[in-house]
């Protein structure tokens, strides 16, 4: 590089500094910030990450600094400059730069292995056991001792270990709630585990699927809602109660009839504790979001969803035979079918009223 082109690059340096400062500013108030742990399990990983990061920064600055220094100091200054002295080998130096990194890596490896062992510990005696199943494109939670099945929003008590058995119904997903724990792959045919502990009640921690799992991977989000131990007991009691009954002749009752008479019931159970092909809806209205936690759960969004879900979220769903509205064509396909030309607007309205009554 000539002196002039060096100067040209140096003039641009402030721009690069400003751009990198701007980029770091983006992280303010980030709800999925893995560097802002909200519980002891996440903090354990963070405590490992931070010292390793700063060691890496020191080494980066040292190595890159020396590279730049040498490149500038020993550059060719004149066309006719003679070849510099050629040096081969320096035992003392080579020994030093082999031993130093080896010791450093050993120093990093020991706490890393201890942390990995710690995080992989078996469940505590009083742990809340939940089986998480990744499905294209939503999450099912089965509370094993409580016999509750919910979807997308994992409700947990604070200050108690939550032990997750992670399973997949189809392809590889990855369960990730950055502020509560690390990331864990969810693999068909095997059970991975994860522990998380939250500390602050009445919080919502956001998460998402972190392994590409086809068309709606980006729409496979999740939430973790934290409650005090007493509130959690109340929540469990509510979830274990049967789904709400609707009064005879009400819009909700008509919606329930339509729900049972159409394909809805083929995929969605409204019985407590029953896992179904689609999310269990026994207490749907307790959740704040639906469809892989991408929509707020309200009447307007549910109307659009029940009428024509594939227009709301990319899916490859089964279709419904218009002459037999309980029959799914290609039932192995993933996602919610469209009910356009199957249900009228009034019928959709009744079904949504029924769904919103499922508190
Ligand atoms: Cu599930 Cu990506």
């Amino acid at each position: 590089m000539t002196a002039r082109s060096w100067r040209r690059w140096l003039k641009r340096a402030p721009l690069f500094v400003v751009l990198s400062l701007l980029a770091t500013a983006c992280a303010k108030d980030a709800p999925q910030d893995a560097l802002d742990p909200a519980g002891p399990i996440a903090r354990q990983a963070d405590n490992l990450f931070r010292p390793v990061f700063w060691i890496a920064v020191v080494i980066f600055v040292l190595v890159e600094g020396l590279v730049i220094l040498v490149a500038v100091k020993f550059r060719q200054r004149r066309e006719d400059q003679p070849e510099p002295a050629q040096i081969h080998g320096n035992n003392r130096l080579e020994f030093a730069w082999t031993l130093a990194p080896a010791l450093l890596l050993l120093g990093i490896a020991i706490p890393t292995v201890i942390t990995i062992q710690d995080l992989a510990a078996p469940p505590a005696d009083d742990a809340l056991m939940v089986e998480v199943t990744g499905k294209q494109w939503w999450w099912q939670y089965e509370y094993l001792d409580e016999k509750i099945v919910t979807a997308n929003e994992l409700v947990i008590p604070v200050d108690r270990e939550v032990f997750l058995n992670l399973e997949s119904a189809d392809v590889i997903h990855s369960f990730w709630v950055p502020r509560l724990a690390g990331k864990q792959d969810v693999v068909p045919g095997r059970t991975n585990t994860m522990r998380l502990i939250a500390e602050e009640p009445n919080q919502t921690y956001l998460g998402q699927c972190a392994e590409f799992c086809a068309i709606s991977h980006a729409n496979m989000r999740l939430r973790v809602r934290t409650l005090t131990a007493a509130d959690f007991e109340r929540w469990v009691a509510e979830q274990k109660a049967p789904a709400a009954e609707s009064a005879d002749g009400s819009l909700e009752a008509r919606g329930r009839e339509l729900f049972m008479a159409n394909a809805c019931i083929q995929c969605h159970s409204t019985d407590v504790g029953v896992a179904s092909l689609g999310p269990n809806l026994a207490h749907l209205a307790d959740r704040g979001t639906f469809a892989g936690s991408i929509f707020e759960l309200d009447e307007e969004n549910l109307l659009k969803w029940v009428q024509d879900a594939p227009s709301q979220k990319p899916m490859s769903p089964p279709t419904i035979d218009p002459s037999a509205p309980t029959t799914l064509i290609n039932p192995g396909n993933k996602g919610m079918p469209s009910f356009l030309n199957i249900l009228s607007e009034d019928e959709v309205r009744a079904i949504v009223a029924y769904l919103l009554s499922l508190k």
Side-chain angles (χ1 to χ4, degrees):
M1 237 187 231
T2 64
R4 191 192 293 162
S5 61
W6 268 109
R7 251 176 266 130
R8 221 171 32 224
W9 276 100
L10 276 177
K11 260 187 230 154
R12 284 181 199 156
L15 179 71
F16 290 124
V17 172
V18 169
L19 279 179
S20 21
L21 284 177
L22 269 179
T24 57
C26 298
K28 206 168 172 252
D29 286 334
Q32 293 190 177
D33 189 351
L35 301 177
D36 184 15
I41 304 272
R43 207 164 293 126
Q44 221 175 330
D46 195 57
N47 287 343
L48 183 64
F49 168 79
R50 278 174 201 273
V52 174
F53 173 77
W54 286 114
I55 291 171
V57 167
V58 169
I59 291 174
F60 176 83
V61 171
L62 207 72
V63 171
E64 295 305 312
L66 280 172
V67 166
I68 292 170
L69 183 79
V70 168
V72 173
K73 191 157 186 245
F74 299 104
R75 72 188 188 275
Q76 187 176 28
R77 283 159 207 269
R78 302 188 316 269
E79 278 294 307
D80 56 349
Q81 198 168 326
E83 198 176 73
Q86 300 298 301
I87 299 162
H88 290 284
N90 181 321
N91 285 344
R92 216 179 286 174
L93 266 179
E94 281 172 23
F95 185 71
W97 70 49
T98 306
L99 188 67
L103 287 176
L104 193 68
L105 287 179
L106 192 69
I108 292 173
I110 291 169
T112 303
V113 170
I114 292 175
T115 305
I116 289 172
Q117 291 285 335
D118 264 12
L119 292 177
D125 289 340
D126 70 334
L128 176 70
M129 302 294 294
V130 182
E131 191 165 293
V132 176
T133 309
K135 302 191 184 190
Q136 285 172 315
W137 291 270
W138 59 283
W139 299 95
Q140 174 178 282
Y141 307 121
E142 193 167 353
Y143 293 68
L144 296 176
D145 296 325
E146 291 75 9
K147 311 268 183 287
I148 296 169
V149 176
T150 66
N152 299 319
E153 296 186 10
L154 180 65
V155 178
I156 61 169
V158 289
D159 300 326
R160 179 173 162 197
E161 182 181 304
V162 181
F163 194 93
L164 307 177
N165 288 320
L166 303 165
E167 280 162 17
S168 169
D170 33 55
V171 299
I172 303 177
H173 304 276
S174 182
F175 190 85
W176 194 32
V177 192
R179 294 196 60 200
L180 291 179
K183 191 190 286 174
Q184 185 66 266
D185 273 2
V186 181
V187 182
R190 65 167 291 156
T191 304
N192 285 339
T193 63
M194 174 187 275
R195 297 185 304 144
L196 42 93
I197 302 173
E199 290 168 328
E200 221 183 310
N202 308 316
Q203 297 294 310
T204 300
Y205 298 108
L206 304 189
Q208 64 184 67
C209 178
E211 179 70 44
F212 181 69
C213 54
I215 192 161
S216 258
H217 159 65
N219 298 314
M220 190 169 166
R221 304 197 197 152
L222 65 114
R223 301 178 161 208
V224 177
R225 255 165 64 199
T226 60
L227 297 174
T228 62
D231 283 346
F232 181 72
E233 289 312 313
R234 257 191 294 277
W235 179 83
V236 167
E238 283 165 18
Q239 292 290 314
K240 287 176 79 163
E245 294 282 340
S246 15
D248 279 349
S250 63
L251 186 64
E252 290 81 359
R254 171 141 191 268
R256 183 176 189 281
E257 249 167 59
L258 288 161
F259 185 93
M260 300 298 170
N262 284 281
C264 316
I265 195 65
Q266 308 292 326
C267 298
H268 296 281
S269 177
T270 54
D271 293 330
V272 171
V274 176
S276 45
L277 200 59
N280 177 299
L281 302 179
H283 293 282
L284 172 71
D286 170 69
R287 300 171 205 155
T289 55
F290 70 98
S293 266
I294 60 171
F295 299 118
E296 298 289 321
L297 191 128
D298 59 28
E299 191 185 7
E300 194 191 336
N301 288 338
L302 273 178
L303 284 172
K304 285 190 240 166
W305 183 256
V306 173
Q307 183 67 267
D308 189 18
S311 71
Q312 303 296 303
K313 175 176 176 177
M315 294 185 285
S316 46
T319 45
I320 295 169
D321 184 349
S323 62
T326 53
T327 309
L328 292 171
I329 301 167
N330 300 324
N333 284 11
K334 303 294 179 177
M336 167 110 159
S338 171
F339 284 85
L340 279 175
N341 309 321
I342 309 278
L343 293 169
S344 72
E345 219 181 297
D346 281 348
E347 289 173 324
V348 169
R349 215 164 270 285
I351 289 176
V352 168
Y354 167 61
L355 294 177
L356 287 172
S357 76
L358 297 173
K359 296 219 166 86

